Amino acid sequence: MTNTILIIEDEKRIAEWISIYLERAGFTAENAYDGKMGLQLARTLNPDLILLDLMLPQLNGMEICRILRQDSDVPIIMLTAKGRKEDKINGLDCGADDYITKPFDPDELVVRVKTVLRRSKGHVQKILSCGILSLDETTQKVLLDGQTIKLSKAQFDILSVFMRYPNVVLTRNQLIEQAFDNNFESFDRAIDTHIRRLRKIIHIHNFAPIQTIYGAGYKLVC
Ligand code: CA
């Protein structure tokens, strides 16, 4: 079942651009271009997550957030303007789950959406797959071309993150944050080492899904 994301954003160009990226990542995206319509769709569509712009005609993002929070736990990510720290604070204060600052990188937005969704739904047991590779998050079993492979804890955690976000460029920081909840001592270089070892194990024949994106990070291509 696909998750429906409601985008409440009055700048149509931005709203449509976000929709394209979300749909590419497998979501259903719906748009509302003003606050009133947004609130109405939030009630009727029952979306899995709402991307909520702050500055909106009719009802602003903060008002919508407050109204929704009276009777709904729907995950909300606020879209805030760059440098307006008070917007972030007020946004989280009104009950938003996360915020993202404009202008933003669409891949980063997709990662945030998935993270907030995952957090809100709890850790559901799931078997993730990418070509000949599959990973069971509950049993921690990894199969490569039908064979069980052994990974270290760190390798497993990193691979899980890749498999949760296939085809998305992940920065080293995002990998550290997602895989180790930021409890990671030696940072960037250590991530590179883990990934190098991981590649040695899972890259067989022509199967080489972990790509280095120079200047950005890594991507699992599925
Ligand atoms: Ca706006």
Side-chain angles (χ1 to χ4, degrees):
M1 214 181 69
T2 60
N3 286 306
T4 301
I5 314 294
L6 173 62
I7 304 154
I8 310 178
E9 163 65 86
D10 58 318
E11 284 170 78
K12 288 196 177 172
R13 207 174 42 84
I14 297 178
E16 275 154 22
W17 182 63
I18 298 173
S19 301
I20 290 169
Y21 273 88
L22 289 174
E23 279 167 2
R24 229 182 257 168
F27 295 106
T28 301
E30 298 287 345
N31 290 302
Y33 302 115
D34 66 61
K36 228 169 140 188
M37 182 183 165
L39 187 59
Q40 205 177 4
L41 283 182
R43 300 245 191 252
T44 54
L45 275 177
N46 206 11
D48 296 282
L49 183 144
I50 299 175
L51 287 172
L52 182 57
D53 185 32
L54 268 185
M55 304 289 281
L56 288 165
Q58 300 194 22
L59 268 176
N60 71 39
M62 214 69 81
E63 290 170 302
I64 294 175
C65 181
R66 279 201 198 97
I67 295 168
L68 283 175
R69 276 293 173 261
Q70 288 169 12
D71 59 9
S72 163
D73 290 330
V74 61
I76 297 173
I77 299 179
M78 285 283 194
L79 304 173
T80 66
K82 197 179 176 172
R84 302 227 356 180
K85 212 173 183 175
E86 67 275 19
D87 286 350
K88 292 173 194 168
I89 295 162
N90 291 337
L92 293 174
D93 220 36
C94 83
D97 297 86
D98 199 1
Y99 60 83
I100 189 158
T101 309
K102 288 180 181 179
F104 49 80
D105 168 17
D107 283 330
E108 160 90 23
L109 179 83
V110 170
V111 170
R112 295 284 193 94
V113 165
K114 289 188 175 180
T115 305
V116 170
L117 275 175
R118 199 163 57 87
R119 234 187 266 145
S120 77
K121 296 189 172 173
H123 287 253
V124 188
Q125 189 234 329
K126 234 173 116 188
I127 295 178
L128 305 165
S129 59
C130 174
I132 56 170
L133 186 67
S134 77
L135 178 149
D136 187 327
E137 289 199 297
T138 313
T139 62
Q140 307 226 328
K141 208 171 164 178
V142 181
L143 290 178
L144 179 66
D145 206 12
Q147 306 288 319
T148 304
I149 53 169
K150 271 194 85 90
L151 297 177
S152 70
K153 168 97 174 70
Q155 288 161 353
F156 178 87
D157 290 341
I158 293 168
L159 185 61
S160 313
V161 178
F162 276 125
M163 294 189 67
R164 272 185 235 132
Y165 304 104
N167 304 313
V168 171
V169 178
L170 297 167
T171 64
R172 289 177 177 79
N173 279 339
Q174 284 169 336
L175 283 163
I176 292 166
E177 202 182 295
Q178 299 280 326
F180 308 110
D181 289 327
N182 275 334
N183 299 323
F184 197 59
E185 264 114 57
S186 40
F187 307 104
D188 293 21
R189 295 304 125 204
I191 268 279
D192 291 340
T193 307
H194 285 307
I195 289 172
R196 195 162 54 239
R197 289 185 185 142
L198 189 56
R199 275 176 168 153
K200 268 199 180 140
I201 301 167
I202 67 165
H203 285 192
I204 55 164
H205 313 307
N206 291 324
F207 183 71
I210 302 178
Q211 292 188 354
T212 302
I213 309 297
Y214 289 98
Y218 294 95
K219 178 160 90 169
L220 183 79
V221 179
C222 296

